[in-house]
Amino acid sequence: MFLSVFDMFKIGVGPSSSHTMGPMLAAARFLERLRSGADRIPGAGAPAALRCTLHGSLAFTGKGHATDRAVTLGLAGFVPATLDPQRAEAAEAALAERHALTPEGLPEMAFDPSRDIVFDYGPPLPGHANGMVLEAMDAAGNLALRETYYSVGGGFVLTERELERPAPGAPLPVPYPFRTAAQMLEMARASGLSIAAMKRANELAAAPGQPLDAGLDRIWEVMRDCMERGLSGTGQLPGGLGVKRRAGMIRAQLDHERGLNLAPPHVTNDWISVYAMAVNEENAAGGRVVTAPTNGAAGVVPAVIRYWLDHVPGAQGRGVRDFLLTAAAVGGIIKTNASISGAEVGCQGEVGSAAAMAAAGFCAVLGGSPEQVENAAEIALEHHLGMTCDPVRGLVQVPCIERNGLGAVKAVAAASLALRGDGSHFVPLDACIETLRQTGRDMDARYKETSLGGLAVNIPEC
């Protein structure tokens, strides 16, 4: 399957790509099935009521990730990329009054989130840790349509049938169809092209009418705007933990110290961290964000881009496109051969993947060869292996916000180390990705976004 740069970098809303964006998209897809009449159960009447059951990680941490609200908005006809907060609030207010939804092209259907969204805390569904079942009933209570969806990370959603029977593996309609890092390097050597140039050629071949550069510029614009909102935000984040926004305060301190000529060199790490924290504070508040490759890891890539543009001599804005294309190439390899889902493999698949993507992009725009870029990604990913996903109270706040800051710092360090060598190194990126997959497979479910282990159970309740 060809993964576009716009698959890896999706515009959406916080706080989670797998627990917010995915369920919203699944609900929107269910509406499309209802409109089409496809697979409607014979003998059932027109849909008159809706119900959703959340399983696995979607149940255990759904409240903290606003999964119930996401499902509600999806069934009301909203999708993450175009969600208007004011229209969403109005729709929720109308639903609270009428306990019914009337999506475009469908009859009015009874729906009360407090009753009709069920959190099933039993065993997860067999396909994936993030499973949900959507049902529509007719006026007599007969089942009219049922579909099982899996939110597999990064805003990707698959039905049960799509997960069990993937599309046939036809040759990719792109000139450089690499699925592994080894293939990517082999094609780069044979063609003499950079990773970004090969990825660009693939994008243009897969979607010849798509305005690629305008789309890339839009991705960076949304990333940058999200960061700026985070850098100016104040107050507490929602959810009940009482976590205060810190990015604005830290930035003010750093701006003040700039003119003192006394700051130690390691303050550079604070700049990198605050850029990432700003994005993830905004994500935690439910703001507009870009998956990179997930919402929980959304701060790493934009933080490293911002560091490069604002702090590295010679950086030029047009290079952001090559940064994103290179990062997307690496992210696609990780997703294809392992996972970017915290509920499936822990945070090594989220912040670890993001750090690998950011390190690759940073190394590329600094003039690194394809071999050095692959080395940078491997270094960054290797030193996130085994990282668990243990959000306190299921909120994408602790340890997620600071974890993005440290992931961005590691990405910069990894790129710098790779550029000190010639690209040859001991552990191939493909071996590191396979280790991620195996480690995630063997990791206890308590440490995979269920909030049943780790920090989530060791923070004293105040």
Side-chain angles (χ1 to χ4, degrees):
M1 181 178 71
F2 172 71
L3 291 174
S4 168
V5 63
F6 303 113
D7 291 323
M8 303 309 299
F9 298 114
K10 298 186 185 75
I11 298 173
V13 294
S16 172
S17 50
S18 59
H19 288 60
T20 311
M21 289 174 58
M24 193 184 301
L25 288 167
R29 287 185 63 181
F30 189 69
L31 292 184
E32 289 300 320
R33 292 280 301 283
L34 287 175
R35 292 187 185 102
S36 71
D39 299 323
R40 187 82 61 83
I41 295 176
L50 297 166
R51 182 168 59 218
C52 173
T53 305
L54 302 171
H55 296 267
S57 178
L58 293 184
F60 283 106
T61 63
K63 290 288 186 181
H65 288 100
T67 304
D68 46 353
R69 180 173 187 263
V71 170
T72 298
L73 292 176
L75 291 174
F78 293 90
V79 292
T82 58
L83 187 141
D84 182 316
Q86 292 183 330
R87 285 185 57 233
E89 289 178 9
E92 288 180 286
L95 176 62
E97 183 177 334
R98 297 170 49 234
H99 299 304
L101 293 169
T102 312
E104 184 178 352
L106 289 166
E108 181 174 272
M109 294 175 286
F111 183 70
D112 180 355
S114 65
R115 179 194 66 215
D116 297 320
I117 297 180
V118 178
F119 291 79
D120 187 325
Y121 299 110
L125 296 179
H128 191 275
N130 290 334
M132 57 188 287
V133 178
L134 286 162
E135 297 172 309
M137 284 68 64
D138 66 13
N142 300 308
L143 185 66
L145 181 67
R146 173 189 284 133
E147 184 59 270
T148 298
Y149 294 93
Y150 291 104
S151 180
V152 297
F156 291 87
V157 175
L158 298 172
T159 65
E160 185 173 43
R161 283 171 290 185
E162 290 168 343
L163 190 72
E164 292 175 350
R165 296 189 293 275
L172 297 175
V174 294
Y176 304 102
F178 52 81
R179 293 176 56 88
T180 67
Q183 292 171 350
M184 179 179 70
L185 292 179
E186 181 181 347
M187 292 178 190
R189 284 190 289 267
S191 66
L193 296 176
S194 67
I195 293 170
M198 291 193 299
K199 182 64 174 166
R200 174 177 289 276
N202 287 349
E203 294 287 335
L204 294 174
Q210 182 171 263
L212 178 59
D213 285 339
L216 293 171
D217 293 345
R218 173 61 177 158
I219 291 298
W220 171 236
E221 177 186 22
V222 176
M223 285 179 168
R224 185 189 61 227
D225 290 348
C226 175
M227 189 183 301
E228 285 302 325
R229 290 193 303 273
L231 288 169
S232 59
T234 58
Q236 285 188 358
L237 294 171
L241 285 183
V243 173
K244 294 180 179 179
R245 288 180 180 256
R246 290 185 291 157
M249 175 193 68
I250 295 172
R251 183 196 196 182
Q253 293 173 347
L254 291 169
D255 280 336
H256 174 72
E257 294 168 5
R258 263 180 164 169
L260 299 181
N261 295 322
L262 297 174
H266 65 257
V267 168
T268 297
N269 289 338
D270 296 344
W271 278 106
I272 300 169
S273 294
V274 79
Y275 293 145
M277 291 170 63
V279 172
N280 284 86
E281 286 179 357
E282 190 63 19
N283 175 64
R288 184 167 295 282
V289 68
V290 177
T291 63
T294 66
N295 282 30
V300 178
V301 168
V304 176
I305 295 175
R306 180 68 176 268
Y307 166 71
W308 173 61
L309 290 174
D310 288 7
H311 299 264
V312 178
Q316 296 181 341
R318 64 177 179 270
V320 171
R321 297 169 183 171
D322 283 348
F323 193 118
L324 293 173
L325 288 167
T326 306
V330 168
I333 291 172
I334 296 172
K335 176 169 172 51
T336 297
N337 296 290
S339 175
I340 58 171
S341 168
E344 192 171 12
V345 297
C347 201
Q348 59 173 352
E350 296 207 25
V351 170
S353 296
M357 293 165 65
F362 188 44
C363 185
V365 296
L366 291 178
S369 67
E371 289 78 13
Q372 288 171 316
V373 168
E374 185 261 0
N375 188 14
E378 187 280 325
I379 295 171
L381 182 59
E382 179 181 340
H383 299 289
H384 284 89
L385 291 176
M387 180 174 281
T388 61
C389 184
D390 52 353
V392 176
R393 208 179 293 175
L395 298 167
V396 192
Q397 298 179 19
V398 179
C400 319
I401 294 170
E402 287 180 353
R403 187 169 284 175
N404 273 257
L406 273 293
V409 170
K410 285 185 181 182
V412 171
S416 184
L417 281 174
L419 287 166
R420 296 289 182 184
D422 61 4
S424 59
H425 55 105
F426 190 77
V427 179
L429 176 58
D430 288 328
C432 196
I433 293 171
E434 174 59 16
T435 303
L436 184 157
R437 187 192 69 80
Q438 293 177 7
T439 304
R441 177 197 62 196
D442 297 339
M443 188 180 289
D444 192 297
R446 290 176 297 172
Y447 303 106
K448 293 194 284 190
E449 211 168 358
T450 58
S451 291
L452 296 176
L455 286 175
V457 300
N458 284 296
I459 301 297
E461 296 288 341
C462 299

